[in-house]
Amino acid sequence: MLKQFLSELRQFLPSDRIYTDELRTLGWGTDASFYRQIPKVIIRSDGEEEISQIVKLCQQHQLSFTFRAAGTSLSGQSCTDSVLIVAGKHWEQYELGQNLESIKLQPGIVGARVNQILKPFGRVFPPDPASIGSAMVGGIVVNNASGMNCGVHANSDRMLISARIILTDGTVLDTGDEKSREAFRKSHPEFLQKIEALRDKVRADQELADRITKKYSIKNVTGLNLRPLVAYDDPFDIIAHSMVGSEGTLAFLSEVTMKTLKDYPFKASAMVYFLTMKESCEAVVAMKKLQAGDEDIEMSAENLMVKSAEMLDYKSLSSVDDPVYLQYKQDVDAGKIEGVEPGDYHNLTAILTETKGITHEQLLQKIEKIKACLGAFRLYIPAEFTEDPAVYGKYWAIRSGIFPSVGGTRPVGTSCLIEDVAFPIESLPEATVKLQKLIADHGYDDACIYGHAFEGNYHFILNQSFADEHEVARYAEMMRDVAKLVVEGYDGSLKAEHGTGRNMAPFVKYEWGEKAYEVMRELKAIFDPDGLLNQGVIFNDDPDCFIKCLKPLPVLDFDFDSVPDGGHYLMDASLSTAKETIEQVKRANKCIECGFCEVNCMSCGLTLSSRMRIAVQREIRYLTKTGSDPVRLATLKKQYKYYGDQTCATDGLCSTSCPMKINTGELTHLIRQMDMNESPMGYKLGEFAANHMAGIKSGLRVVLDVAHAAHVTLGPTLMTTVCRTMNKMGLPLWTTAMPKKHRQPKKSDLTQFIIEKSIPHKEEEHSEYKVVYFPSCINQTMGQSRGGGKIHDLVDEVIQLMAKAGYEVIFPEGMERMCCGQIWESKGMLDIADRKSAELEAALWKASEEGKYPVLCAQSPCLHRMKKVMHKMKLYEPAEFIMKYLVPRLEFHPIHRPIALHITCSTRQMGVADDLINLAKMCSTQVYLPEGVGCCGFAGDRGFTFPELNKYGLRKLRPQIEANHIEVGYSNSRTCEIGLETNTGIPYMSIVYLVNECTTTKK
């Protein structure tokens, strides 16, 4: 059956978007939950027509299928052991509605990106889950996600206007389009009749209808969404809203139209500390009663004075080293807290409170009323609100940091689980204390409770091992007791935000009762009569399914002792590249495979993502250690070479969105080092190159000369054809963007622009303003591309700009032999990397007179490497150096032509992106920052050897360049600029050229 399915699938879908190999099915078999199922087939979809054909084919062959967007779901709803259909990277279109009150979205656009689109218009996307920076709209809507500022009033269900869906028979229905509705009435009259009949059946049962209304008065995503059956009359509205919270069990959501809300211009927050948890909850209940004016309804769809109230228990506060909690501990131990024994810290509870105002006066009035309300409760310290974003940003960072902080302390090999429940707000004080005790009674001493107290919605984090049956049984018993407390004790929600998935599927009927559960079954049958969609999710007859298919987390345990350490070469041995790499790999054991990294992983969608690399390496390490399946091990290692290693850009951007700051690039560096240990010849070649850098650079200039001559002789078209053919044969790709050679810079170059009288400054000024300039290996050997059109190569351009500003340039001695070490680090020769860095460090130390003068390197990846291993000198890339030292000495004359700006990975990681942007805006009135372009994927030499990585990383760039009529782009990395020029057709060059063009010496 599967073989025939694949054969028919390939008739209309390219094979490169169908995965059945061991490696990628394993990699895609993980989501953010603690479950794993390995799909048999993965399909990367692109467009409604494809989806329609795929689902019809699945139905024809009776194959279960599951849809997936970002895979950040926490309850196992995006895992399957059958057909997995991915709708992410190719589903990112949007359209702003009239008056900006709505927005039409495809399922693959990331939630935070929607807010970026809306921000200039003072609007926001209402749902704001903690995963909004990584979760995609499709998942946010079909899981009915909400978040810290989003209660029931503004969840996906309440904010949805219409939906465009694809049913299991391949039919496309747009509930917001009358033509589509009319066509559906004719093609699917029975479907509509069944929806109407179910609606009438529910409404005829007043007890059931009332129960549904009550259940959705608090956050609730347990089971299918029944609210539409009592809230809407129109069957098309019922169909659209039933998709919300359906977790992919009813149909495919190809587009959704959502309301947008206004953003408040004035905001304030306070971290309020209570002496007991019960009192904190009582205060929340009291604050919930504070009403704002009707104008707030227009802004945020509700009129509550307090917009957020996030509870943090003492374990949560402890996990982030909250300073007030640390002071509380001292006071307790000193006997200053009445009625509390020394060593007992469990009472302190914080409520992070936020209020907002349309005017500043209104904000201040709200603050005073909230403080008056809080005056009725015992606080550890007085409540103080702040309007300073820098201050309250730290409060919210504490709140956001709880999960990674707790997860980061868990024992290696254990899972970090997040459960979420909701209680009616009036039951909050009593229920919260009972929940805390219940968790502790089951031996979860390190668990913490935090969450959206204002909605009665709590998350509790558990560090859980599934290594033996006893631990699994302990977790199961605890979950059954939680279910009993929530359902029988308070008629609350077993899942408030995170979806039912597999995790809560056995408890749906228990929470809702027989009648409501049967309605869910009927609704499912109307949409999916064959039961093929996302089997096992929401509806699962196995009472133990929530403790099956548990995700293994084998330890990433390499032979770290075999890694050669070159730290002793450096001035500070503690900055050893090997030590940092090993530390990062060990940190990767904290990965829970949440997928937050994927939004910044440029190979995600081409080969593997960062979390997939970790998941696959865990399996490889497990198989290596146990020897349990040598054939599978050999297959995974062979397939990993290209998908995991060769197409990893190692740019480190994955760490910027990872809660644990895991840099998967370092895992790749270690794997390459291990491969080098087994390949003495490769290592010897690397050592030879390190020892003969001057000769290597000279040889590269010859190659560049030959390539340039061929380019001139053959012309761009024929040159491109020949080079692409040679690349397919395994040779590096040479493109028309390749630069000409640059002769080796020498000391005499430093006087040329003084001789040209480019500097009007007095001669004595030169002794005061000096900079050590290290042209990277790349810039020592590579000049401009044929289309660059500039008089000087970069080294000369830098010297000229420095001279214009009155700066004397100093070259380090012997720089023709020197390198920062970046190329060796990227190849997995970590000790050689440190040796080369140390040689450069010594030369720069001498040239800078032991750190007296700043050091400039015009190649951002090289400077990033230097900053990691050299801490005794002031090191700068061009934008930061110019902003700090040259701007006061130059007059800027902005140009009006549009320019594109590319911010490299290393620029982002060094935290100087703003300098680059601000500098460009001083030079041009039309600076364009392309959307959806992160790492370019050139990755040192990968743009030559694996150009598909570079092409994929820049797939969104060329259309934007052409649409905005841009003729030149700027950056701060020569290799990146080669790739940018190759994939856009316009020259890219250093920001130094732009600054030099737009400035004169300040008089």
Side-chain angles (χ1 to χ4, degrees):
M1 180 189 297
L2 187 62
K3 187 176 181 180
Q4 182 63 30
F5 170 78
L6 289 169
S7 175
E8 294 177 33
L9 185 65
R10 291 189 176 106
Q11 291 177 18
F12 64 86
L13 205 66
S15 293
D16 63 0
R17 288 199 276 117
I18 305 169
Y19 311 153
T20 58
D21 55 274
E22 289 258 14
L23 183 91
R24 286 179 290 183
T25 51
L26 171 63
W28 282 94
T30 189
D31 66 2
S33 73
F34 51 95
Y35 300 101
R36 170 174 291 160
Q37 290 188 309
I38 298 177
K40 295 180 178 65
V41 183
I42 296 142
I43 303 170
R44 300 300 303 271
S45 64
D46 185 5
E48 290 182 343
E49 185 177 344
E50 280 187 2
I51 291 287
S52 183
Q53 289 179 285
I54 293 167
V55 299
K56 283 192 286 187
L57 193 61
C58 287
Q59 188 178 56
Q60 178 185 327
H61 290 277
Q62 288 295 288
L63 287 171
S64 171
F65 55 101
T66 294
F67 296 111
R68 172 175 171 144
T72 55
S73 49
L74 294 164
S75 300
Q77 55 265 59
S78 57
C79 293
T80 180
D81 58 2
S82 185
V83 178
L84 183 67
I85 304 168
V86 181
K89 298 289 184 182
H90 300 291
W91 297 82
E92 300 170 83
Q93 300 300 310
Y94 67 90
E95 180 184 328
L96 290 167
Q98 192 173 10
N99 300 323
L100 303 169
E101 293 179 357
S102 67
I103 186 168
K104 191 176 289 185
L105 302 160
Q106 286 192 324
I109 188 167
V110 173
R113 174 74 187 116
V114 182
N115 278 325
Q116 290 172 2
I117 294 164
L118 294 172
K119 186 175 182 178
F121 308 106
R123 313 287 297 190
V124 294
F125 182 55
D128 67 331
S131 59
I132 196 167
S134 302
M136 295 174 180
V137 165
I140 289 171
V141 172
V142 300
N143 284 289
N144 197 9
S146 44
M148 289 182 282
N149 274 281
C150 174
V152 172
H153 68 283
N155 65 17
S156 299
D157 187 21
R158 306 296 174 104
M159 294 293 106
L160 181 140
I161 297 172
S162 65
R164 189 173 172 91
I165 66 175
I166 301 176
L167 298 170
T168 56
D169 64 0
T171 300
V172 179
L173 167 64
D174 187 341
T175 67
D177 180 75
E178 185 51 43
K179 288 184 179 178
S180 180
R181 289 158 66 113
E182 185 57 35
F184 194 80
R185 288 187 188 99
K186 293 176 181 178
S187 64
H188 290 69
E190 290 186 9
F191 190 107
L192 293 174
Q193 289 166 10
K194 289 178 181 178
I195 290 290
E196 290 171 331
L198 188 59
R199 174 200 65 194
D200 295 343
K201 174 184 173 181
V202 169
R203 294 183 180 185
D205 188 334
Q206 192 61 50
E207 182 184 7
L208 177 58
D210 289 346
R211 175 158 180 73
I212 290 171
T213 300
K214 179 186 175 185
K215 289 288 286 181
Y216 291 111
S217 65
I218 62 173
K219 289 187 179 184
N220 191 326
V221 294
T222 310
L224 289 180
N225 183 12
L226 298 183
R227 194 186 78 88
L229 294 168
V230 298
Y232 303 101
D233 297 325
D234 189 322
F236 289 104
D237 287 337
I238 294 173
I239 290 169
H241 286 268
S242 293
M243 290 295 296
V244 181
S246 64
E247 301 177 31
T249 61
L250 299 184
F252 174 70
L253 182 71
S254 65
E255 189 178 81
V256 63
T257 302
M258 301 284 287
K259 296 176 186 176
T260 66
L261 296 176
K262 293 182 180 180
D263 194 14
Y264 285 86
F266 301 97
K267 304 171 185 178
S269 294
M271 188 75 87
V272 187
Y273 296 86
F274 294 84
L275 289 171
T276 67
M277 177 178 279
K278 186 177 181 181
E279 282 182 290
S280 75
C281 295
E282 290 170 345
V284 168
V285 175
M287 287 191 291
K288 185 89 173 183
K289 296 175 182 178
L290 298 177
Q291 298 289 301
D294 291 340
E295 64 272 17
D296 277 69
I297 295 178
E298 184 182 348
M299 293 290 293
S300 59
E302 50 84 35
N303 64 344
L304 297 178
M305 197 171 290
V306 175
K307 299 303 179 184
S308 299
E310 296 287 304
M311 190 197 82
L312 297 82
D313 76 346
Y314 80 108
K315 285 285 188 181
S316 303
L317 296 170
S318 173
S319 73
V320 292
D321 291 327
D322 178 72
V324 176
Y325 171 74
L326 297 177
Q327 180 61 50
Y328 175 80
K329 287 178 65 178
Q330 292 180 15
D331 288 348
V332 168
D333 291 342
K336 295 181 180 180
I337 306 299
E338 185 180 350
V340 180
E341 293 295 321
D344 181 7
Y345 314 123
H346 84 278
N347 286 307
L348 188 71
T349 307
I351 300 291
L352 175 52
T353 306
E354 182 178 41
T355 187
K356 302 177 182 180
I358 300 171
T359 65
H360 188 245
E361 182 182 7
Q362 185 191 68
L363 178 70
L364 294 178
Q365 290 172 353
K366 289 181 177 180
I367 289 172
E368 288 307 310
K369 290 179 181 178
I370 295 168
K371 289 173 73 172
C373 175
L374 292 171
F377 302 93
R378 293 190 307 150
L379 305 182
Y380 172 53
I381 57 175
E384 292 296 335
F385 281 83
T386 176
E387 299 174 57
D388 185 350
V391 177
Y392 67 64
K394 293 178 181 178
Y395 295 160
W396 291 100
I398 288 173
R399 162 65 179 84
S400 300
I402 293 171
F403 172 50
S405 297
V406 175
T409 62
R410 77 185 195 277
V412 172
T414 63
S415 297
C416 185
L417 315 185
I418 306 181
E419 303 295 346
D420 79 310
V421 297
F423 300 105
I425 190 72
E426 63 274 7
S427 304
L428 204 59
E430 180 183 81
T432 307
V433 173
K434 286 185 177 180
L435 178 64
Q436 185 183 48
K437 184 177 184 301
L438 184 155
I439 295 169
D441 286 347
H442 282 277
Y444 292 96
D445 298 326
D446 57 351
C448 69
I449 301 176
Y450 69 104
H452 321 308
F454 220 43
E455 301 298 325
N457 171 206
Y458 288 134
H459 307 311
F460 53 98
I461 302 176
L462 312 170
N463 290 330
Q464 174 69 53
S465 170
F466 292 122
D468 57 58
E469 292 182 4
H470 171 73
E471 280 296 299
V472 174
R474 179 168 74 112
Y475 170 72
E477 184 180 356
M478 185 274 299
M479 285 301 296
R480 291 187 175 106
D481 284 349
V482 167
K484 186 175 181 180
L485 172 70
V486 173
V487 174
E488 296 184 19
Y490 299 98
D491 196 17
S493 308
L494 289 172
K495 281 295 179 183
E497 291 186 310
H498 297 166
T500 304
R502 288 174 166 75
N503 183 234
M504 206 52 66
F507 303 97
V508 176
K509 185 192 294 186
Y510 177 57
E511 175 180 328
W512 275 96
E514 187 68 48
K515 285 195 295 185
Y517 185 70
E518 186 54 38
V519 172
M520 292 180 189
R521 285 269 190 199
E522 289 183 46
L523 187 61
K524 166 75 169 173
I526 295 171
F527 279 86
D528 180 23
D530 294 327
L532 298 177
L533 257 171
N534 217 0
Q535 287 182 355
V537 169
I538 295 181
F539 303 99
N540 200 312
D541 294 330
D542 183 353
D544 294 326
C545 70
F546 73 110
I547 50 173
K548 294 181 178 179
C549 301
L550 300 171
K551 182 193 295 180
L553 293 174
V555 178
L556 291 169
D557 187 14
F558 294 85
D559 181 9
F560 296 120
D561 292 338
S562 70
V563 178
D565 190 343
H568 60 281
Y569 294 116
L570 300 168
M571 289 184 179
D572 185 346
S574 68
L575 301 177
S576 157
T577 300
K579 287 179 180 175
E580 171 62 19
T581 301
I582 291 169
E583 181 183 329
Q584 276 288 340
V585 172
K586 289 180 177 179
R587 183 180 297 175
N589 281 309
K590 302 296 184 183
C591 174
I592 61 167
E593 302 172 13
C594 67
F596 284 16
C597 57
E598 291 185 345
V599 71
N600 284 315
C601 176
M602 64 82 42
S603 63
C604 177
L606 176 69
T607 51
L608 297 183
S609 70
S610 304
R611 74 161 154 187
M612 293 177 190
R613 287 183 171 92
I614 290 175
V616 171
Q617 277 300 317
R618 281 171 164 162
E619 183 71 4
I620 288 174
R621 301 317 305 162
Y622 170 76
L623 294 173
T624 300
K625 184 176 182 179
T626 62
S628 55
D629 193 339
V631 174
R632 185 160 183 263
L633 173 61
T635 300
L636 288 175
K637 291 179 76 170
K638 181 180 179 181
Q639 293 174 346
Y640 190 86
K641 188 66 179 174
Y642 173 75
Y643 292 109
D645 179 357
Q646 293 172 339
T647 54
C648 177
T650 67
D651 53 49
L653 288 185
C654 51
S655 66
T656 62
S657 53
C658 168
M660 292 307 303
K661 304 304 176 189
I662 296 166
N663 182 350
T664 311
E666 298 290 6
L667 173 62
T668 299
H669 287 159
L670 183 75
I671 292 168
R672 291 174 184 171
Q673 175 73 70
M674 293 300 182
D675 289 344
M676 280 294 169
N677 290 351
E678 298 174 6
S679 174
M681 182 56 69
Y683 195 83
K684 286 178 180 178
L685 285 172
E687 194 160 27
F688 177 84
N691 295 333
H692 299 84
M693 276 302 294
I696 296 290
K697 291 176 184 177
S698 296
L700 180 55
R701 291 188 188 97
V702 173
V703 174
L704 290 170
D705 241 357
V706 172
H708 178 65
H711 187 182
V712 173
T713 304
L714 299 176
T717 304
L718 184 55
M719 177 75 170
T720 299
T721 302
V722 170
C723 290
R724 284 179 177 168
T725 302
M726 294 173 69
N727 178 246
K728 290 177 181 177
M729 296 167 61
L731 295 175
L733 178 68
W734 293 79
T735 73
T736 55
M738 284 300 297
K740 295 175 281 186
K741 74 174 182 182
H742 178 74
R743 59 176 176 76
Q744 179 63 40
K746 51 187 184 294
K747 206 166 187 177
S748 60
D749 296 336
L750 302 177
T751 61
Q752 59 180 310
F753 299 109
I754 298 174
I755 294 169
E756 291 174 10
K757 297 181 180 179
S758 295
I759 348 176
H761 300 293
K762 295 178 181 179
E763 186 65 29
E764 56 265 24
E765 287 190 65
H766 293 290
S767 61
E768 298 176 26
Y769 298 98
K770 295 183 181 182
V771 58
V772 177
Y773 174 34
F774 173 63
S776 67
C777 308
I778 295 294
N779 291 319
Q780 287 181 44
T781 53
M782 291 183 176
Q784 302 176 64
S785 68
R786 191 182 179 195
K790 295 293 182 180
I791 297 173
H792 304 294
D793 289 342
L794 180 59
V795 176
D796 294 337
E797 194 79 8
V798 170
I799 296 170
Q800 185 186 46
L801 178 62
M802 296 300 129
K804 183 189 292 184
Y807 266 81
E808 178 184 346
V809 174
I810 304 167
F811 281 152
E813 293 179 8
M815 65 181 181
E816 68 278 1
R817 302 187 303 274
M818 292 181 186
C819 177
C820 68
Q822 175 69 24
I823 189 169
W824 285 274
E825 180 183 5
S826 69
K827 297 295 181 186
M829 304 179 206
L830 307 183
D831 59 327
I832 299 178
D834 281 354
R835 176 159 65 86
K836 295 306 293 182
S837 294
E839 291 172 5
L840 177 59
E841 185 179 28
L844 294 175
W845 185 245
K846 180 180 179 182
S848 67
E849 296 186 18
E850 298 185 348
K852 179 179 179 181
Y853 301 116
V855 176
L856 171 67
C857 177
Q859 182 79 0
S860 66
C862 299
L863 194 276
H864 183 231
R865 160 76 191 170
M866 290 160 64
K867 279 192 169 186
K868 288 195 295 183
V869 295
M870 305 175 192
H871 285 189
K872 289 191 174 184
M873 290 170 282
K874 295 170 286 186
L875 307 173
Y876 298 93
E877 60 76 55
E880 186 183 15
F881 181 84
I882 292 168
M883 290 295 285
K884 183 168 184 176
Y885 293 103
L886 303 194
V887 166
R889 303 175 63 79
L890 296 171
E891 295 281 358
F892 282 77
H893 311 284
I895 58 175
H896 301 295
R897 70 169 184 265
I899 65 167
L901 192 64
H902 178 73
I903 303 172
T904 64
C905 312
S906 46
T907 301
R908 295 177 194 273
Q909 289 186 298
M910 290 186 291
V912 295
D914 286 345
D915 284 327
L916 184 61
I917 295 168
N918 293 334
L919 181 60
K921 289 181 177 178
M922 293 175 71
C923 297
S924 171
T925 57
Q926 299 184 65
V927 177
Y928 185 75
L929 290 166
E931 297 176 357
V933 179
C935 174
C936 71
F938 205 89
D941 63 354
R942 303 279 138 171
F944 300 130
T945 53
F946 300 99
E948 65 272 27
L949 188 67
N950 186 214
K951 182 179 179 182
Y952 183 76
L954 298 177
R955 66 194 182 281
K956 297 179 182 179
L957 182 56
R958 188 166 196 144
Q960 297 180 67
I961 295 294
E962 293 174 350
N964 288 277
H965 309 291
I966 295 170
E967 297 179 356
V968 64
Y970 296 92
S971 189
N972 56 1
S973 166
R974 191 69 193 95
T975 46
C976 296
E977 290 154 14
I978 293 170
L980 289 159
E981 184 168 337
T982 299
N983 287 280
T984 61
I986 66 168
Y988 268 81
M989 60 192 73
S990 171
I991 190 71
V992 171
Y993 285 102
L994 180 64
V995 176
N996 210 8
E997 176 188 351
C998 300
T999 57
T1000 55
T1001 303
K1002 183 171 282 189
K1003 297 178 182 179

